[in-house]
Amino acid sequence: MNVPFLDLKAQYKTIKDEVLPAINEVIENTAFAGGPYVAKFEQAFADFCGVKHCIGVGNGTDALWLSLVALGIGHGDEVITTPNTFIATAEAISLAGAIPIFVDIEEKTHNMNPALLANAITKKTKAIIPVHLFGQPADMDPILEIAKKHGLKVVEDACQAHGAEYKGRKAGSMGNTGCFSFYPGKNLGAYGEGGAVVTNDDALAANMRMFRDHGQAKKYYHGIIGWNARLDGIQGAVLSVKLKHLADWNDARRKHAKRYSELLASVKDIIVPGEMDYAKHVYHIYALRSPERDKLMAYLAEKGVSCGIHYPVPVHLQDAYGFLKYREGSFPIAEKCASQYLSLPMFAELTDEQVAYVAQQIKGYYA
Ligand SMILES: *Cc1c(COP(=O)(O)O)cnc(C)c1O
């Protein structure tokens, strides 16, 4: 049996009849850049997240960068985040002119350890970016409390956590802004690139709306120096169609994750991912941990099972961030996890047979 890591075609087949007319309508109306199809999606996504404003942007990296710029973060400032993330979190900090400061993760959440935050705060610290990695929210209450105490902004990197919840609150709705990516493989993915920032702050929303469109509120009258970070009309229409299915797709992911964990419970040599009591995990990634990760991955590939690694090198050890002078051993939990992570096939349309087959092969490896 062949089990792909991700099968976008399988999902497309289930919504083809809805999504093709929606795309066609945008083309018939030539509403390509920004416009009504984007505005409609923005309203729906703001409602979905339980926030006042959603600003569609070009991608998730734009969403993070725009948030920082709109919050006034720039040259000489420090922004605290975790090294256990996709590089974009740190890139956005760097592109805003600030310096990323990392704190290690908690082994049980794979997210920022709030207990290490206070030590990382200096006079230059302006913001914290918790990442809801793999679809499970970071432990937000202590993070929000520390931020409040020190007058820091909080930008949530919810790029892997569409629809995830923390104590009943939606990922992205708790910080000053929440940032989403609609990269095709995300839980809510566009048919191209896309992203969004959500916020309850009216002034911030107005600023980001102008900024993403060259700083103009009225065409060719530029109040601020902005950028082109618009979401395009076709993506707005596609995302509106797909948003209606997101809750079901997330439920399917949760079901597959539960099944993987049940079937693999007897395998002593691996650690399966857990769901925190406070969380609704949406399993963008199902990352188990194995000390023999590379050998296991090769074995599974031979059996037709495609896996991924998210991510093999934590951000502080990437060549791009060599100038920060972190070393191996700087963040031991993140480093240990990175050497052990193995992401199993995960998408809503996986069949029960495929899930069972993957688990069976893992058991076969260890037998
Ligand atoms: C995908 C992702 C991003 C960046 O999103 P793009 O749309 O690819 O720019 C940022 N942070 C995390 C954690 C991501 O997974």
Side-chain angles (χ1 to χ4, degrees):
M1 187 186 287
N2 265 317
V3 188
F5 176 67
L6 176 66
D7 187 352
L8 292 177
K9 227 176 206 170
Q11 189 193 63
Y12 170 61
K13 282 184 191 151
T14 70
I15 56 167
K16 191 172 175 177
D17 293 344
E18 277 178 278
V19 82
L20 286 182
I23 292 171
N24 197 48
E25 190 181 322
V26 180
I27 297 171
E28 290 291 338
N29 289 310
T30 61
F32 296 124
Y37 297 99
V38 170
K40 195 172 149 226
F41 169 69
E42 288 174 334
Q43 187 56 55
F45 196 64
D47 293 346
F48 175 84
C49 292
V51 298
K52 278 166 83 178
H53 307 282
C54 168
I55 299 100
V57 295
N59 52 62
T61 314
D62 270 357
L64 290 160
W65 176 62
L66 240 82
S67 292
L68 295 172
V69 171
L71 287 165
I73 288 149
H75 200 73
D77 295 337
E78 292 179 357
V79 178
I80 301 173
T81 189
T82 137
N84 197 35
T85 183
F86 180 56
I87 189 96
T89 321
E91 282 178 322
I93 297 169
S94 300
L95 198 64
I99 296 173
I101 303 293
F102 301 108
V103 297
D104 210 348
I105 55 167
E106 273 185 290
E107 199 156 352
K108 56 184 195 251
T109 66
H110 305 288
N111 289 322
M112 172 180 285
N113 185 345
L116 301 174
L117 260 182
N119 249 343
I121 294 171
T122 72
K123 283 201 284 291
K124 292 180 179 169
T125 310
K126 291 281 155 50
I128 304 170
I129 309 186
V131 181
H132 307 313
L133 200 71
F134 302 149
Q136 170 144 268
D139 190 1
M140 288 302 289
D141 276 347
I143 294 171
L144 292 167
E145 195 179 305
I146 291 165
K148 196 170 168 196
K149 186 170 153 206
H150 293 269
L152 307 176
K153 308 293 186 191
V154 175
V155 172
E156 294 177 68
D157 184 338
C159 288
Q160 300 189 1
H162 319 69
E165 289 175 18
Y166 176 80
K167 300 183 183 175
R169 286 175 282 169
K170 282 267 162 57
S173 70
M174 295 167 277
N176 295 86
T177 73
C179 302
F180 291 89
S181 164
F182 304 125
Y183 183 75
K186 300 289 164 94
N187 288 30
L188 179 61
Y191 284 3
E193 303 275 347
V197 188
V198 299
T199 183
N200 281 311
D201 184 323
D202 298 342
L204 208 55
N207 181 281
M208 290 189 290
R209 243 177 238 296
M210 275 175 82
F211 193 94
R212 66 142 180 215
D213 193 20
H214 297 295
Q216 61 188 354
K218 186 175 154 200
K219 203 168 173 69
Y220 301 134
Y221 290 82
H222 306 273
I224 55 174
I225 299 172
W227 197 249
N228 174 3
R230 292 181 300 248
L231 180 64
D232 75 67
I234 287 178
Q235 304 314 332
V238 169
L239 290 165
S240 288
V241 168
K242 293 184 72 174
L243 180 58
K244 293 182 207 144
H245 299 277
L246 179 58
D248 287 345
W249 289 335
N250 281 344
D251 284 347
R253 286 174 182 270
R254 288 171 56 75
K255 190 187 87 182
H256 302 323
K258 190 159 170 262
R259 192 109 188 292
Y260 272 144
S261 294
E262 282 165 7
L263 293 169
L264 294 171
S266 60
V267 185
K268 294 285 166 281
D269 300 291
I270 61 172
I271 303 172
V272 297
E275 182 177 52
M276 301 300 291
D277 284 340
Y278 63 62
K280 180 174 177 183
H281 194 324
V282 293
Y283 293 98
H284 171 58
I285 301 281
Y286 182 97
L288 57 75
R289 285 170 49 196
S290 160
E292 294 172 44
R293 187 261 315 279
D294 294 335
K295 268 161 71 186
L296 175 59
M297 189 172 176
Y299 177 87
L300 291 173
E302 259 174 47
K303 302 289 180 186
V305 177
S306 302
C307 298
I309 300 175
H310 302 88
Y311 297 92
V313 181
V315 179
H316 69 284
L317 297 180
Q318 294 285 354
D319 289 345
Y321 280 105
F323 70 96
L324 292 177
K325 308 271 188 245
Y326 289 109
R327 292 168 290 105
E328 233 167 88
S330 293
F331 304 107
I333 312 286
E335 291 166 27
K336 179 175 71 180
C337 288
S339 72
Q340 299 182 345
Y341 281 142
L342 182 68
S343 311
L344 300 189
M346 178 52 77
F347 48 95
E349 298 75 19
L350 272 174
T351 63
D352 290 348
E353 290 70 32
Q354 286 175 314
V355 171
Y357 178 79
V358 172
Q360 195 190 342
Q361 300 317 309
I362 294 171
K363 284 177 165 170
Y365 172 86
Y366 282 106

